């Protein structure tokens, strides 16, 4: 194939990226079989916890008054506060409008009735197809928290999974030996206790292995505080080294560490009440170094951790850096992180995940990221072309497939 012309690079990369089916490696969405665990439709989109936090920057009423409102009234309040009363310039605000626009709504009306009618007219299966097609997403990886009774109940019925949805075993409550986690293990026949006494270590390993296989979970995941340290004199450190890593090694599946969340700094805000602080890269280095037969998917939440995480990935091939997570999933930061990662890691990382909690978000999170990351990649190709090097469309297409799908599956050694 003939090389891409300099003056066409931006347009070629943009087109190829739009045509590249996405593997979204971390989301909170579910297939229809999971019932109302799947959030979808414009009222869920508008009441996303990012927008709740942004609304209370202006709204004086008590938090509980908002949460007591019916969902549609909550959406009306957020729409008025963040869209009618002032310009919607935040990334989450822009995202709502991107979704509405891509779903054919004329946002100039500034009116929710038409988009509500559109959503109300669709069944969930049809809506999943519409969103996946509009977003250009081929498959998503879920966050399956079996310590949530609602989700446990679904898995107990052995749901037939829509192949576009891949499972992951999320273990936050187990890592903290939370009473709900311990009681679930005990109730389901695993003799573990909160002090790791008796056969707890082997029983937690057995639980992890049984559930990884039952769900065919692609990886084990946990969100972790900035204080997360291994090794340290703590039960959490022991559960990681004595339970999680041996099972992940045996099953050849990564441990995904999402590090840097300070949970519920403002508890009444619920999911909107979490924040961020700089975490310890030394723990990532220790784990990658001590456990070369384990694979680690890592994303960190603090901007201050990003350079050291990318440098650490240069040192350890069992470390795969992924995504611009949560408070980093904003154009100004995605731009800086992606340039740095390309410059330090070449194509050996996973640039983005959506973290979508509401199905519709796949549309905006991937539209925004494709545009931004595509522009950066085009610049990088042009920088290299300054040397006389040339690129074909075929080579660029392979690069995009690696960044947005194959790097993940190759790291898992699946597919
Ligand atoms: O722990 C996580 O997986 C985070 O992504 C949280 O779900 C967070 O509330 C979120 O939705 N971030 O985008
Ligand atoms: Zn998440």
């Amino acid at each position: 194939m003939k090389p891409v012309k300099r003056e066409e690079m931006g347009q070629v990369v943009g087109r190829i990226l739009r045509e590249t089916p996405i593997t979204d490696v971390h989301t909170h969405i579910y297939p229809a079989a999971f019932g109302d665990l799947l959030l979808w439709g414009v009222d869920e989109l508008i009441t996303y916890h990012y927008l709740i936090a942004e609304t209370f920057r202006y709204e004086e009423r008590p938090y509980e008054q908002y949460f007591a409102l019916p969902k549609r009234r909550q959406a009306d309040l957020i729409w008025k506060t963040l869209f009618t009363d002032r310009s919607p310039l935040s990334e989450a605000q822009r995202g709502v409008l991107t979704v509405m626009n891509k779903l054919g709504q004329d946002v100039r009306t500034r009116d929710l009735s038409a988009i509500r009618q559109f959503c109300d007219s669709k069944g969930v299966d049809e809506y999943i197809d519409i969103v996946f097609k509009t977003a250009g997403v081929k498959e998503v990886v879920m966050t399956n928290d079996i310590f949530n009774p609602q989700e446990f109940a679904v898995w107990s019925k052995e749901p037939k999974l829509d192949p576009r949805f891949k499972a992951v075993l999320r273990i936050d409550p187990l890592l903290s030996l939370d009473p709900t986690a311990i009681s679930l293990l005990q109730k389901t026949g695993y003799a573990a206790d909160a002090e790791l006494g008796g056969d707890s270590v082997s029983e937690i390993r057995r639980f992890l292995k049984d559930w990884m296989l039952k769900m065919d979970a692609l990886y084990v995941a946990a969100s972790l505080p900035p204080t997360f340290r291994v090794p340290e004199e703590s039960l959490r450190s022991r559960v990681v080294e004595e339970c999680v890593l041996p099972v992940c090694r045996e099953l050849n599946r990564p441990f995904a560490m999402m590090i840097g969340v300070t949970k519920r700094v403002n508890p009444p805000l619920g999911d909107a009440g979490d924040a961020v602080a700089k975490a310890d890269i030394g723990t990532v280095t220790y784990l990658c170094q001590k456990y070369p037969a384990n694979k680690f998917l890592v994303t960190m939440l603090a901007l201050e951790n990003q350079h050291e995480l990318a440098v650490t990935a240069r040192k350890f091939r069992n470390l795969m850096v992924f995504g611009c997570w949560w408070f980093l999933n904003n154009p100004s930061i995605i731009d800086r992180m992606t340039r740095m990662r390309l410059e330090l890691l070449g194509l050996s990382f996973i640039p983005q995940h959506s973290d979508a909690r509401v199905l519709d978000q796949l549309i905006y999170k991937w539209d925004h990221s494709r545009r931004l990351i595509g522009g950066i990649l085009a610049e990088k190709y042009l920088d290299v072309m300054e040397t006389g090097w040339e690129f074909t469309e075929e080579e660029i297409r392979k690069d995009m497939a690696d960044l947005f799908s194959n790097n993940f599956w190759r790291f898992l050694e699946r597919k």
Side-chain angles (χ1 to χ4, degrees):
M1 265 184 106
K2 66 183 188 321
V4 177
K5 292 196 184 82
R6 214 182 291 274
E7 63 274 17
E8 293 172 2
M9 185 57 81
Q11 177 265 332
V12 166
V13 171
R15 169 171 52 79
I16 290 176
L17 200 38
R18 282 192 302 278
E19 294 164 357
T20 299
I22 303 279
T23 297
D24 194 339
V25 304
H26 172 64
T27 75
H28 299 268
I29 53 179
Y30 300 87
F34 284 67
D36 56 15
L37 279 169
L38 168 65
L39 304 178
W40 63 283
V42 68
D43 288 308
E44 293 294 354
L45 183 66
I46 293 172
T47 57
Y48 181 36
H49 70 73
Y50 290 25
L51 291 161
I52 294 174
E54 292 173 31
T55 295
F56 279 110
R57 299 282 309 140
Y58 307 103
E59 177 56 48
E60 291 303 321
R61 82 179 65 196
Y63 301 128
E64 55 278 7
Q65 247 185 49
Y66 163 82
F67 286 107
L69 294 171
K71 179 68 73 175
R72 194 148 277 196
R73 294 294 73 73
Q74 292 179 3
D76 289 340
L77 172 64
I78 290 177
W79 183 256
K80 180 179 181 305
T81 309
L82 296 182
F83 293 83
T84 309
D85 292 355
R86 47 189 61 81
S87 300
L89 299 187
S90 79
E91 182 61 5
Q93 289 168 296
R94 178 169 75 106
V96 170
L97 300 180
T98 299
V99 172
M100 294 166 83
N101 174 262
K102 295 285 181 187
L103 289 177
Q105 162 76 13
D106 179 356
V107 295
R108 286 172 301 176
T109 65
R110 300 195 180 190
D111 168 63
L112 291 178
S113 54
I115 188 74
R116 279 176 166 156
Q117 270 161 22
F118 174 81
C119 298
D120 292 347
S121 71
K122 302 294 174 199
V124 59
D125 289 305
E126 183 187 4
Y127 206 77
I128 289 173
D129 293 344
I130 291 169
V131 171
F132 270 66
K133 184 167 184 301
T134 309
V137 168
K138 70 175 166 182
E139 58 206 351
V140 298
V141 183
M142 299 185 280
T143 296
N144 301 108
D145 172 9
I146 53 168
F147 303 101
N148 169 350
Q150 198 181 347
E151 173 135 20
F152 183 80
V154 175
W155 285 105
S156 303
K157 295 187 203 108
E158 308 205 337
K160 188 175 171 326
L161 274 191
D162 176 329
R164 293 170 294 183
F165 292 79
K166 311 299 182 190
V168 152
L169 181 57
R170 179 69 176 256
I171 60 166
D172 297 29
L174 184 59
L175 279 192
S176 49
L177 293 171
D178 184 290
T180 57
I182 295 298
S183 83
L184 177 71
L185 267 75
Q186 290 172 348
K187 273 194 301 198
T188 51
Y190 300 88
D193 63 49
E195 292 72 43
L196 286 188
D199 295 332
S200 293
V201 167
S202 56
E203 286 292 89
I204 291 172
R205 282 188 195 168
R206 188 168 68 88
F207 171 84
L208 289 169
K209 182 174 178 181
D210 290 352
W211 274 93
M212 288 291 288
L213 295 175
K214 178 186 176 77
M215 303 162 90
D216 188 20
L218 296 184
Y219 56 81
V220 177
S223 81
L224 296 153
T227 53
F228 174 59
R229 295 288 184 281
V230 179
E232 72 172 3
E233 283 307 307
S234 73
L235 292 174
R236 180 176 60 202
S237 178
R238 285 192 56 200
V239 172
V240 169
E241 291 199 276
E242 297 173 34
C243 306
V244 176
L245 295 186
V247 171
C248 286
R249 208 160 41 241
E250 182 190 343
L251 301 180
N252 188 31
R253 311 213 183 165
F255 178 34
M257 302 188 288
M258 305 167 67
I259 313 171
V261 196
T262 46
K263 295 296 285 182
R264 302 304 192 258
V265 297
N266 188 359
L269 276 177
D271 284 335
D274 298 339
V276 57
K278 187 174 185 315
D280 173 54
I281 193 67
T283 291
V284 177
T285 306
Y286 166 83
L287 290 169
C288 293
Q289 183 189 69
K290 181 162 182 200
Y291 300 100
N294 276 91
K295 293 184 275 198
F296 298 94
L297 278 164
V298 177
T299 196
M300 297 179 86
L301 190 52
L303 181 57
E304 302 88 333
N305 282 125
Q306 300 310 319
H307 182 252
E308 54 194 16
L309 176 61
V311 169
T312 305
R314 288 170 62 89
K315 306 306 150 194
F316 298 103
R317 61 185 166 198
N318 60 331
L319 169 57
M320 179 63 79
V321 171
F322 76 94
C324 301
W325 181 29
W326 200 341
F327 304 114
L328 301 171
N329 195 358
N330 296 313
S332 60
I333 296 177
I334 296 168
D335 184 274
R336 186 171 164 197
M337 285 176 65
T338 305
R339 289 177 190 280
M340 176 191 64
R341 287 167 168 179
L342 283 167
E343 290 151 7
L344 281 169
L345 300 172
L347 294 168
S348 66
F349 67 103
I350 297 169
Q352 189 58 297
H353 67 276
S354 71
D355 218 344
R357 269 174 180 270
V358 180
L359 176 68
D360 315 47
Q361 291 171 338
L362 290 180
I363 295 172
Y364 91 80
K365 290 189 182 230
W366 285 110
D367 178 72
H368 295 182
S369 287
R370 271 195 175 96
R371 291 171 190 275
L372 195 58
I373 296 171
I376 295 162
L377 286 163
E379 277 184 50
K380 291 301 177 188
Y381 285 116
L382 288 171
D383 287 349
V384 173
M385 286 180 77
E386 288 303 307
T387 69
W389 191 272
E390 295 181 320
F391 298 99
T392 65
E393 278 207 20
E394 204 176 23
E395 289 166 331
I396 293 171
R397 194 172 295 280
K398 180 188 171 303
D399 296 343
M400 299 302 117
D402 284 349
L403 285 171
F404 292 94
S405 183
N406 298 336
N407 283 357
F408 176 67
W409 290 111
R410 212 173 285 131
F411 190 64
L412 264 58
E413 294 170 77
R414 308 265 300 232
K415 275 201 178 180

